[in-house]
Amino acid sequence: MEALTATAEACEIGNKLARPDGRPVQWIISPEPVPYPLALETMRARAAAIAAGEAEEAIWLLEHPPLYTAGTSARSEDLLSDRFPVYDAGRGGQYTYHGPGQRVAYVMLDLTQRGRDIRCLVKGLESWVIDTLAAHNITGERRKGRIGVWVQRPDKGAFKEDKIAAIGVRVSKWVTFHGISLNVMPDLAHYDGIVPCGISDQGVTSFEDLGQLVSMPEVDSVLRAAFEKQFGPTRAAAEESLVARTVMA
């Protein structure tokens, strides 16, 4: 993994995360749940192809079957159940859950064209989620020292808040993979098998839990517009293009 570089404040100077050449990112949506090992293998191959100049950047939207993933900082005591399969993710962070009703967006971007600043990337991913939530009348917030996006829950008590989106990235040869997971309408009881991201004193929430009943295609449409605001243009591509090494024109 590349070292963190400049401070996040540098992100405020112009649109640092947009490519200077304006080349669009492939926007790919999988219609059926994708097994985690297949997704991991596909991401790694695509990231390597991008680094080699043999493939375009891509955003891959999908859902997974119910499962837990362990980041490089995961602690064994935070895995509370063997209800679902557990996979080593190879990304930063601790345990998280993926499953139906959660929109996962895998982000395969070439940071040599986007500022070479991993802190700025994370801030951009958080802004992407926060803007998406705002379009659905949900106020998402950052928390110092805790990557991800949070929603205040005064209905649960003073100082209570729930996590609605997790963020975990890996960067190899300045190309990113992994990305974000946004809770739209998952079964929140599935989180009971882990201590999510190692944080035991706060909860998790979703659009549905907050009273916002929206379809996945509706969320996808807003995600795309919010992504383009932060990162620049996209173009729709077929799922099959993920495994093809498309040489860039």
Side-chain angles (χ1 to χ4, degrees), residues 33-57:
V34 178
Y36 191 78
L38 175 60
L40 197 58
E41 178 184 353
T42 302
M43 277 193 293
R44 287 171 173 163
R46 184 58 175 258
I50 292 169
E54 298 172 348
E56 298 179 60
E57 297 175 301

mmCIF file of all heavy atoms in Angstrom, residues 33-57:
data_model
loop_
_atom_site.group_PDB
_atom_site.id
_atom_site.type_symbol
_atom_site.label_atom_id
_atom_site.label_comp_id
_atom_site.label_asym_id
_atom_site.label_seq_id
_atom_site.Cartn_x
_atom_site.Cartn_y
_atom_site.Cartn_z
ATOM 1 N N PRO A 33 -26.205 -10.801 -7.382
ATOM 2 C CA PRO A 33 -25.161 -10.819 -6.343
ATOM 3 C C PRO A 33 -23.883 -11.479 -6.840
ATOM 4 O O PRO A 33 -23.923 -12.486 -7.559
ATOM 5 C CB PRO A 33 -25.811 -11.631 -5.217
ATOM 6 C CG PRO A 33 -27.280 -11.448 -5.419
ATOM 7 C CD PRO A 33 -27.472 -11.382 -6.904
ATOM 8 N N VAL A 34 -22.755 -10.918 -6.448
ATOM 9 C CA VAL A 34 -21.447 -11.394 -6.909
ATOM 10 C C VAL A 34 -20.716 -12.062 -5.742
ATOM 11 O O VAL A 34 -20.551 -11.445 -4.682
ATOM 12 C CB VAL A 34 -20.607 -10.228 -7.448
ATOM 13 C CG1 VAL A 34 -19.229 -10.715 -7.892
ATOM 14 C CG2 VAL A 34 -21.324 -9.532 -8.605
ATOM 15 N N PRO A 35 -20.267 -13.308 -5.877
ATOM 16 C CA PRO A 35 -19.484 -13.948 -4.805
ATOM 17 C C PRO A 35 -18.241 -13.123 -4.483
ATOM 18 O O PRO A 35 -17.580 -12.601 -5.394
ATOM 19 C CB PRO A 35 -19.123 -15.315 -5.402
ATOM 20 C CG PRO A 35 -20.155 -15.563 -6.459
ATOM 21 C CD PRO A 35 -20.475 -14.219 -7.032
ATOM 22 N N TYR A 36 -17.912 -13.045 -3.201
ATOM 23 C CA TYR A 36 -16.808 -12.171 -2.808
ATOM 24 C C TYR A 36 -15.464 -12.589 -3.426
ATOM 25 O O TYR A 36 -14.729 -11.722 -3.916
ATOM 26 C CB TYR A 36 -16.695 -12.102 -1.288
ATOM 27 C CG TYR A 36 -15.748 -11.005 -0.853
ATOM 28 C CD1 TYR A 36 -16.157 -9.677 -0.858
ATOM 29 C CD2 TYR A 36 -14.446 -11.290 -0.457
ATOM 30 C CE1 TYR A 36 -15.292 -8.655 -0.488
ATOM 31 C CE2 TYR A 36 -13.573 -10.280 -0.088
ATOM 32 C CZ TYR A 36 -14.006 -8.973 -0.095
ATOM 33 O OH TYR A 36 -13.139 -7.966 0.261
ATOM 34 N N PRO A 37 -15.097 -13.872 -3.425
ATOM 35 C CA PRO A 37 -13.802 -14.232 -4.030
ATOM 36 C C PRO A 37 -13.698 -13.815 -5.489
ATOM 37 O O PRO A 37 -12.636 -13.380 -5.939
ATOM 38 C CB PRO A 37 -13.753 -15.758 -3.860
ATOM 39 C CG PRO A 37 -14.637 -16.039 -2.694
ATOM 40 C CD PRO A 37 -15.755 -15.045 -2.812
ATOM 41 N N LEU A 38 -14.792 -13.932 -6.237
ATOM 42 C CA LEU A 38 -14.788 -13.517 -7.632
ATOM 43 C C LEU A 38 -14.589 -12.007 -7.740
ATOM 44 O O LEU A 38 -13.825 -11.520 -8.587
ATOM 45 C CB LEU A 38 -16.090 -13.928 -8.312
ATOM 46 C CG LEU A 38 -16.276 -13.448 -9.755
ATOM 47 C CD1 LEU A 38 -15.163 -13.979 -10.657
ATOM 48 C CD2 LEU A 38 -17.652 -13.847 -10.289
ATOM 49 N N ALA A 39 -15.267 -11.249 -6.873
ATOM 50 C CA ALA A 39 -15.118 -9.786 -6.900
ATOM 51 C C ALA A 39 -13.685 -9.388 -6.581
ATOM 52 O O ALA A 39 -13.116 -8.498 -7.232
ATOM 53 C CB ALA A 39 -16.083 -9.157 -5.900
ATOM 54 N N LEU A 40 -13.092 -10.043 -5.593
ATOM 55 C CA LEU A 40 -11.733 -9.709 -5.190
ATOM 56 C C LEU A 40 -10.751 -9.997 -6.320
ATOM 57 O O LEU A 40 -9.892 -9.159 -6.640
ATOM 58 C CB LEU A 40 -11.366 -10.505 -3.936
ATOM 59 C CG LEU A 40 -10.166 -10.028 -3.121
ATOM 60 C CD1 LEU A 40 -10.342 -8.603 -2.640
ATOM 61 C CD2 LEU A 40 -9.957 -10.967 -1.932
ATOM 62 N N GLU A 41 -10.888 -11.154 -6.950
ATOM 63 C CA GLU A 41 -9.999 -11.514 -8.055
ATOM 64 C C GLU A 41 -10.164 -10.540 -9.224
ATOM 65 O O GLU A 41 -9.183 -10.107 -9.845
ATOM 66 C CB GLU A 41 -10.310 -12.941 -8.510
ATOM 67 C CG GLU A 41 -9.473 -13.412 -9.691
ATOM 68 C CD GLU A 41 -9.881 -14.802 -10.167
ATOM 69 O OE1 GLU A 41 -10.719 -15.451 -9.502
ATOM 70 O OE2 GLU A 41 -9.364 -15.230 -11.212
ATOM 71 N N THR A 42 -11.416 -10.183 -9.508
ATOM 72 C CA THR A 42 -11.698 -9.274 -10.618
ATOM 73 C C THR A 42 -11.116 -7.892 -10.355
ATOM 74 O O THR A 42 -10.505 -7.269 -11.243
ATOM 75 C CB THR A 42 -13.208 -9.176 -10.855
ATOM 76 O OG1 THR A 42 -13.738 -10.472 -11.134
ATOM 77 C CG2 THR A 42 -13.533 -8.238 -12.007
ATOM 78 N N MET A 43 -11.293 -7.381 -9.134
ATOM 79 C CA MET A 43 -10.734 -6.070 -8.786
ATOM 80 C C MET A 43 -9.224 -6.046 -8.920
ATOM 81 O O MET A 43 -8.644 -5.102 -9.470
ATOM 82 C CB MET A 43 -11.100 -5.708 -7.343
ATOM 83 C CG MET A 43 -12.456 -5.112 -7.149
ATOM 84 S SD MET A 43 -12.579 -4.398 -5.490
ATOM 85 C CE MET A 43 -12.511 -5.849 -4.452
ATOM 86 N N ARG A 44 -8.573 -7.077 -8.389
ATOM 87 C CA ARG A 44 -7.112 -7.114 -8.447
ATOM 88 C C ARG A 44 -6.615 -7.120 -9.894
ATOM 89 O O ARG A 44 -5.659 -6.419 -10.246
ATOM 90 C CB ARG A 44 -6.596 -8.344 -7.700
ATOM 91 C CG ARG A 44 -6.710 -8.236 -6.182
ATOM 92 C CD ARG A 44 -6.383 -9.557 -5.535
ATOM 93 N NE ARG A 44 -6.328 -9.446 -4.075
ATOM 94 C CZ ARG A 44 -6.383 -10.477 -3.241
ATOM 95 N NH1 ARG A 44 -6.470 -11.716 -3.721
ATOM 96 N NH2 ARG A 44 -6.322 -10.304 -1.928
ATOM 97 N N ALA A 45 -7.263 -7.925 -10.729
ATOM 98 C CA ALA A 45 -6.849 -8.006 -12.125
ATOM 99 C C ALA A 45 -7.081 -6.685 -12.845
ATOM 100 O O ALA A 45 -6.237 -6.233 -13.627
ATOM 101 C CB ALA A 45 -7.606 -9.134 -12.825
ATOM 102 N N ARG A 46 -8.225 -6.063 -12.570
ATOM 103 C CA ARG A 46 -8.519 -4.795 -13.236
ATOM 104 C C ARG A 46 -7.558 -3.706 -12.772
ATOM 105 O O ARG A 46 -7.065 -2.907 -13.587
ATOM 106 C CB ARG A 46 -9.957 -4.388 -12.956
ATOM 107 C CG ARG A 46 -10.406 -3.114 -13.677
ATOM 108 C CD ARG A 46 -10.254 -3.231 -15.191
ATOM 109 N NE ARG A 46 -10.790 -2.073 -15.873
ATOM 110 C CZ ARG A 46 -11.965 -2.048 -16.491
ATOM 111 N NH1 ARG A 46 -12.729 -3.127 -16.500
ATOM 112 N NH2 ARG A 46 -12.387 -0.963 -17.104
ATOM 113 N N ALA A 47 -7.260 -3.652 -11.476
ATOM 114 C CA ALA A 47 -6.331 -2.648 -10.965
ATOM 115 C C ALA A 47 -4.949 -2.817 -11.590
ATOM 116 O O ALA A 47 -4.293 -1.834 -11.964
ATOM 117 C CB ALA A 47 -6.248 -2.726 -9.444
ATOM 118 N N ALA A 48 -4.505 -4.063 -11.735
ATOM 119 C CA ALA A 48 -3.203 -4.312 -12.361
ATOM 120 C C ALA A 48 -3.208 -3.886 -13.819
ATOM 121 O O ALA A 48 -2.218 -3.330 -14.316
ATOM 122 C CB ALA A 48 -2.846 -5.792 -12.238
ATOM 123 N N ALA A 49 -4.315 -4.123 -14.510
ATOM 124 C CA ALA A 49 -4.407 -3.733 -15.909
ATOM 125 C C ALA A 49 -4.418 -2.212 -16.055
ATOM 126 O O ALA A 49 -3.824 -1.664 -16.990
ATOM 127 C CB ALA A 49 -5.662 -4.335 -16.536
ATOM 128 N N ILE A 50 -5.076 -1.527 -15.129
ATOM 129 C CA ILE A 50 -5.077 -0.059 -15.161
ATOM 130 C C ILE A 50 -3.663 0.457 -14.956
ATOM 131 O O ILE A 50 -3.190 1.358 -15.659
ATOM 132 C CB ILE A 50 -6.037 0.498 -14.094
ATOM 133 C CG1 ILE A 50 -7.491 0.163 -14.449
ATOM 134 C CG2 ILE A 50 -5.877 2.019 -13.954
ATOM 135 C CD1 ILE A 50 -8.478 0.446 -13.332
ATOM 136 N N ALA A 51 -2.958 -0.113 -13.968
ATOM 137 C CA ALA A 51 -1.588 0.318 -13.684
ATOM 138 C C ALA A 51 -0.672 0.098 -14.884
ATOM 139 O O ALA A 51 0.265 0.869 -15.118
ATOM 140 C CB ALA A 51 -1.047 -0.412 -12.462
ATOM 141 N N ALA A 52 -0.955 -0.945 -15.651
ATOM 142 C CA ALA A 52 -0.139 -1.257 -16.830
ATOM 143 C C ALA A 52 -0.564 -0.474 -18.067
ATOM 144 O O ALA A 52 0.037 -0.632 -19.137
ATOM 145 C CB ALA A 52 -0.219 -2.758 -17.120
ATOM 146 N N GLY A 53 -1.590 0.353 -17.940
ATOM 147 C CA GLY A 53 -2.075 1.113 -19.086
ATOM 148 C C GLY A 53 -2.885 0.303 -20.060
ATOM 149 O O GLY A 53 -3.045 0.684 -21.224
ATOM 150 N N GLU A 54 -3.448 -0.839 -19.596
ATOM 151 C CA GLU A 54 -4.158 -1.752 -20.478
ATOM 152 C C GLU A 54 -5.666 -1.731 -20.290
ATOM 153 O O GLU A 54 -6.384 -2.445 -20.997
ATOM 154 C CB GLU A 54 -3.646 -3.178 -20.257
ATOM 155 C CG GLU A 54 -2.158 -3.348 -20.575
ATOM 156 C CD GLU A 54 -1.633 -4.706 -20.176
ATOM 157 O OE1 GLU A 54 -2.348 -5.428 -19.445
ATOM 158 O OE2 GLU A 54 -0.514 -5.050 -20.586
ATOM 159 N N ALA A 55 -6.166 -0.958 -19.339
ATOM 160 C CA ALA A 55 -7.607 -0.919 -19.092
ATOM 161 C C ALA A 55 -7.996 0.448 -18.575
ATOM 162 O O ALA A 55 -7.181 1.208 -18.043
ATOM 163 C CB ALA A 55 -8.011 -2.003 -18.083
ATOM 164 N N GLU A 56 -9.260 0.758 -18.734
ATOM 165 C CA GLU A 56 -9.798 2.024 -18.262
ATOM 166 C C GLU A 56 -10.135 1.943 -16.770
ATOM 167 O O GLU A 56 -10.326 0.858 -16.208
ATOM 168 C CB GLU A 56 -11.056 2.384 -19.048
ATOM 169 C CG GLU A 56 -10.816 2.581 -20.532
ATOM 170 C CD GLU A 56 -12.103 2.912 -21.254
ATOM 171 O OE1 GLU A 56 -12.730 3.936 -20.914
ATOM 172 O OE2 GLU A 56 -12.493 2.142 -22.150
ATOM 173 N N GLU A 57 -10.244 3.097 -16.143
ATOM 174 C CA GLU A 57 -10.724 3.164 -14.769
ATOM 175 C C GLU A 57 -12.181 2.685 -14.727
ATOM 176 O O GLU A 57 -12.905 2.758 -15.725
ATOM 177 C CB GLU A 57 -10.661 4.595 -14.248
ATOM 178 C CG GLU A 57 -9.257 5.172 -14.172
ATOM 179 C CD GLU A 57 -9.284 6.625 -13.762
ATOM 180 O OE1 GLU A 57 -9.933 7.432 -14.489
ATOM 181 O OE2 GLU A 57 -8.685 6.968 -12.735
#
